Amino acid sequence: MSKPTSIKTSEEVRNRLRVLADERGTTITELLEELAARELTEAEREQRAVEAARELGIEYTEQVRQVGQDAWAKVRAHQGGAAA
């Protein structure tokens, strides 16, 4: 088992995490662990893009990478997230 630690955040964020955890029948710690495991790092996203291009028979060039990033930025913008 990992050594416990603390994360500093605002009271508002802590309260939101508590509500989200309660709604899921879990703890804030488990909620954060799930989030950290689910989200990909930039390097992991890049590797998956390379693998997807290979599966599709597409050469993964800088232009392909940029088009993909632009497409995801538009998706996030339509979801109400940051477009960058």
Side-chain angles (χ1 to χ4, degrees), residues 4-60:
T5 188
S6 17
I7 299 173
K8 292 188 183 225
T9 188
S10 68
E11 192 173 326
E12 180 181 342
V13 169
R14 186 216 47 220
N15 292 341
R16 180 169 174 78
L17 289 170
R18 181 172 290 135
V19 169
L20 290 169
D22 287 346
E23 287 178 351
R24 289 166 174 76
T26 190
T27 65
I28 291 175
T29 299
E30 291 170 342
L31 181 69
L32 290 171
E33 287 172 354
E34 177 188 325
L35 174 65
R38 183 177 65 219
E39 293 299 313
L40 299 175
T41 66
E42 180 63 35
E44 291 166 334
R45 285 192 298 273
E46 184 76 9
Q47 182 58 39
R48 289 197 182 181
V50 168
E51 292 168 5
R54 186 180 312 120
E55 287 177 16
L56 293 170
I58 299 171
E59 180 182 355
Y60 191 73

Side-chain angles (χ1 to χ4, degrees), residues 72-84:
W72 280 113
K74 289 178 183 177
V75 168
R76 285 190 302 275
H78 286 284
Q79 293 173 333

